[in-house]
Structures are given as C-alpha cells and as structure tokens.
Amino acid sequence: MAWNNSKFTQLNNVPCYGGQTLALGCTNSRDPRSGNFTAQDLNGIPFLRAPKWQATFGAAFDMPLPNGWNLTLANDNHYTSRYLSALGRREDYYRSGYIKSDVSVALAGENDAWEFALIGK
C-alpha cells in the first residue's frame, strides 16, 4: 500500500484553458492587445497521475489432487484512487479511482511437468 500527498508548491503562469474566466482562476498575464488574461497559478494542485492511494493485494490457494496433480486458484488486484490527469482545477481533469483484477485457475501435472491455466484480466 502506498500513500502519496505530492503537490506543486509553486506552479505559476500555466496557460488558461479555452473559455476560462477570471472567476475560474484565469487571473495572470494580461494580453496587451485583447486585455484578457491568459495564464493561471496552480499552486497546491496534486502532481499529474499521482493518486493519493495505491494498493496491491491478492491471494493464491494450492490444492493437491490425486496422482500428483495440483490445482491453483489465484487472484491479484491493484487499486488506484482518483488522480489528476491534466494541469488545472477542473473536476473533469480528474480520473476516477479504479480496481484492476486478475483471476486465474491452473492445473499442473505430476512434478509440474506441464501446466494448463486460464487467466482473466
């Protein structure tokens, strides 16, 4: 399991996204021709693609069968919490958390001379 609390301490003059207003944080670098602001400060936002939580967990169960055969059931999982995928403070710049799961069942012959496995991701 990992906990990550990384943030930009200073991230200034990042270009504003199209349609971003003063109220939405576009308050830096006034364009002398149009009078519009073109940049924003993003101090304190999390690093890109740096989820606060990540965990890897799983289990395997081996069951001996007659004639020296062996049956293995296994499951491995990876959890990632929500994370920022683009520079900005917009809610749609965040990717939702998710779990990836791998499941397998394997049948092995005597002395592991061969193995047949079904693996699902």
Side-chain angles (χ1 to χ4, degrees):
M1 178 174 274
W3 176 68
N4 178 9
N5 194 25
S6 59
K7 295 181 178 169
F8 289 100
T9 55
Q10 187 173 5
L11 184 58
N12 302 319
N13 294 318
V14 176
C16 297
Y17 58 84
Q20 186 175 4
T21 64
L22 284 168
L24 294 173
C26 190
T27 58
N28 292 16
S29 301
R30 186 182 290 263
D31 184 338
R33 294 174 303 221
S34 68
N36 295 331
F37 291 98
T38 61
Q40 59 186 319
D41 289 342
L42 296 177
N43 302 328
I45 68 167
F47 286 174
L48 295 179
R49 293 174 293 286
K52 193 163 281 247
W53 289 100
Q54 286 188 307
T56 302
F57 54 96
F61 174 72
D62 286 322
M63 183 171 62
L65 298 174
N67 299 325
W69 289 22
N70 192 55
L71 180 67
T72 302
L73 305 172
N75 172 250
D76 292 309
N77 305 281
H78 176 78
Y79 167 75
T80 298
S81 66
R82 172 180 117 118
Y83 62 88
L84 188 63
S85 62
L87 285 177
R89 298 186 192 278
R90 290 174 39 169
E91 193 60 31
D92 61 336
Y93 285 177
Y94 283 87
R95 172 157 181 189
S96 298
Y98 59 90
I99 292 179
K100 292 192 294 185
S101 188
D102 299 339
V103 179
S104 66
V105 58
L107 179 64
E110 189 175 359
N111 298 321
D112 291 329
W114 57 268
E115 180 179 271
F116 176 78
L118 294 173
I119 303 169
K121 289 188 167 278

